[in-house]
Amino acid sequence: MRAMVLDKPGQPLQLRDVPKPKPDRGQLLVRVSTCAVCRTDLHVVDGELPNPKLPLILGHQIVGQVEEIGGGNSDFAIGDRVGIPWLGRTDGDCTYCRSGRENLCDNARFTGYTLDGGYAEFTVADARYCFHLPDRYDDVEVAPLLCAGLIGYRSYRKTGEARRLGIYGFGNAAHLIAQIAVYEGRELYAFTRTDDKATQQAAKELGAVWAGGSDEMPPEKLDAAIIFASVGPLVPAALRALAKGGIVVCGGIHMTDIPSFPYVELWEERVITSVANLTRRDGDEFFEIAPRVPVRTDTKTFPLEEANTALDLFRAAKLSATAVLTISK
Ligand SMILES: [Zn+2]
Ligand SMILES: [Zn+2]
């Protein structure tokens, strides 16, 4: 089968013919239809995340069709549409798994990072971690929901009942989560790069009550802020915009260093937290609410062979939509 393979971080992916994977017991062999590109893919390619499987097939927002089932009972039948997310496997047995926090599992494996992913014609996945996808979306539209949507949703849930919600870094995840926030009656404040009027306008069209640069203060103090940009200095910036008791949620897997700041900016019970990975429950909740809103995705397709082009455009911030690789019809 054809796959785009990462041999070493810092190098472009190589288009290669590799052996088609075989499903073990409990696994699905999936013919990949689409795979959305995530910022995490860039972090892996650029060597910003430790110890990826090498050589590696990237991609953890995979949509495809079940081609074969490797034995055992499964929720899926041959021919079913299936979504494969970032969380590929857990041990089910550590203190985190046993306390409903499988996203923190000590022995978790991750699709497109420590397991091969979806930049390929076929992939295998543990059926227990795969999702059935809402019918209202086609294979291209639904792909970005599998990470930007799902982990964005986990970040959003960490903000509790916050009425005034700030979002820093208005990319793919923000675009999706903003729609749910507005649907749920939150007041949305969008923070973009300084002078990025186009993105500020787009945020307002999605229902933001205010949009400005991340160096600006919002007109009202915020109850919560989510940071989707991988820019450490946004943490103290977001803290300064919070009301007492407010929370800053860092939604990314990697961030540049956070500069120091005076304790008084954290005092009065402000909280800084981060989000790691997802649980299957996050996915079930998100795929229930997304079609009701309905959350719309904005995508630009690339053939599999052009994965490097998609990654380069993403890195250079030259994509205004989520890149989705199209692999089979
Ligand atoms: Zn575990
Ligand atoms: Zn991702």
Side-chain angles (χ1 to χ4, degrees), residues 45-126:
V45 172
D46 293 344
E48 290 167 329
L49 296 182
N51 308 319
K53 169 193 179 291
L54 289 175
L56 172 69
I57 300 172
L58 285 168
H60 57 271
Q61 307 188 84
I62 307 167
V63 182
Q65 217 182 23
V66 178
E67 179 111 342
E68 197 182 319
I69 299 173
N73 287 328
S74 128
D75 222 15
F76 291 88
I78 288 172
D80 279 0
R81 184 161 83 146
V82 57
I84 306 173
W86 170 249
L87 185 70
R89 194 188 308 158
T90 64
D91 58 14
D93 196 39
C94 69
T95 51
Y96 301 102
C97 286
R98 287 176 178 279
S99 55
R101 295 178 292 164
E102 64 183 0
N103 60 307
L104 301 178
C105 176
D106 281 332
N107 296 299
R109 305 284 294 278
F110 301 106
T111 314
Y113 179 36
T114 53
L115 298 167
D116 279 331
Y119 286 23
E121 288 178 304
F122 292 91
T123 192
V124 288
D126 187 322

